[in-house]
Amino acid sequence: DTGVSQDPRHKITKRGQNVTFRCDPISEHNRLYWYRQTLGQGPEFLTYFQNEAQLEKSRLLSDRFSAERPKGSFSTLEIQRTEQGDSAMYLCASNWRTEAFFGQGTRLTVV
Amino acid sequence: QKEVEQNSGPLSVPEGAIASLNCTYSDRGSQSFFWYRQYSGKSPELIMFIYSNGDKEDGRFTAQLNKASQYVSLLIRDSQPSDSATYLCAVNAYSSASKIIFGSGTRLSIRP
């Protein structure tokens, strides 16, 4: 596997449920980023990790969102008590130095 | 002021012409600049990156950077219908611990 992998590709959930997404970065990449993208907008920064350390979390992110990268490899993004406004594409990207490469994304629909 | 600004378009260019996409950024500490292409329903794909002032060419694509003006652009020569997509400008600000910030994208349409 030579690319960033995200799972699942699509998720439909009922409002109020919790969801968790997984991202497997390119193996030698030490930085991992999560973004959220809605229609007609660019990717909005959520958080990022260098190895297992979470370096920054967007101030726009509510306490319902949490991300982990326990061993500096894969990462998970959890959204608790989902709301309809959480419906979006959740993108993961990774890099070693500068250029970041994206996974295919997880499309979340909250009904 | 947004950290990375782009004209949302749509920008319509005839096939075979040069498409010019522009981006400005606010953080003077920005070190690295990227252009991504995103087709509808797909994830962004890196097409160019530039670190130094001046021009960088790769095939039909040329990235231009002017740090004094905080301006970066992308030229696409001999535009093809397959170039129709949204082009995202992204900036890696050293002062923000290497966080990568994206603009809202410019939608480009190449008309036959």
Side-chain angles (χ1 to χ4, degrees):
Chain A
D1 182 15
T2 56
V4 179
S5 177
Q6 291 189 245
D7 184 71
R9 295 287 304 278
H10 303 274
K11 178 71 176 180
I12 299 174
T13 191
K14 291 183 178 180
R15 190 173 53 187
Q17 297 295 303
N18 298 344
V19 293
T20 299
F21 309 141
R22 177 179 170 125
C23 173
D24 287 88
I26 294 171
S27 58
E28 63 268 25
H29 286 184
N30 63 342
R31 292 198 194 103
L32 185 149
Y33 305 79
W34 284 100
Y35 294 87
R36 176 173 60 192
Q37 189 176 29
T38 53
L39 196 62
Q41 300 298 312
E44 175 191 15
F45 172 80
L46 296 180
T47 188
Y48 90 106
F49 295 83
Q50 179 154 313
N51 299 313
E52 65 274 12
Q54 187 173 19
L55 296 188
E56 188 170 339
K57 182 176 175 179
S58 170
R59 286 168 289 180
L60 301 175
L61 217 56
S62 77
D63 291 341
R64 296 185 297 108
F65 288 72
S66 63
E68 292 183 341
R69 194 183 183 197
K71 297 182 180 179
S73 56
F74 73 91
S75 176
T76 58
L77 176 69
E78 181 183 17
I79 309 174
Q80 296 181 326
R81 304 181 303 281
T82 52
E83 302 172 355
Q84 286 189 320
D86 296 332
S87 295
M89 175 78 87
Y90 289 83
L91 294 163
C92 175
S94 71
N95 67 2
W96 168 243
R97 294 187 183 276
T98 50
E99 309 93 78
F101 298 92
F102 281 87
Q104 298 286 66
T106 294
R107 182 167 296 283
L108 174 66
T109 302
V110 181
V111 298
Chain B
Q1 181 188 9
K2 288 184 179 179
E3 293 179 85
V4 181
E5 296 211 48
Q6 298 181 252
N7 188 321
S8 61
L11 175 65
S12 181
V13 172
E15 185 174 356
I18 296 175
S20 177
L21 304 160
N22 305 313
C23 172
T24 59
Y25 58 94
S26 60
D27 187 344
R28 285 195 172 273
S30 299
Q31 299 288 310
S32 307
F33 307 86
F34 312 94
W35 284 99
Y36 287 81
R37 178 176 61 200
Q38 187 173 30
Y39 293 114
S40 181
K42 302 295 185 181
S43 62
E45 172 193 11
L46 180 67
I47 55 173
M48 287 286 292
F49 57 90
I50 186 167
Y51 308 137
S52 304
N53 277 328
D55 294 359
K56 179 182 178 182
E57 186 174 321
D58 184 1
R60 295 187 298 112
F61 298 97
T62 298
Q64 299 175 316
L65 174 62
N66 184 326
K67 289 186 178 180
S69 301
Q70 297 174 241
Y71 178 90
V72 59
S73 65
L74 179 70
L75 302 177
I76 307 174
R77 289 181 299 281
D78 188 24
S79 296
Q80 303 296 309
S82 59
D83 295 327
S84 297
T86 295
Y87 288 81
L88 299 163
C89 174
V91 172
N92 181 322
Y94 181 79
S95 58
S96 300
S98 302
K99 183 172 67 177
I100 300 176
I101 299 298
F102 284 81
S104 57
T106 298
R107 191 153 51 94
L108 175 66
S109 175
I110 306 300
R111 57 182 190 271

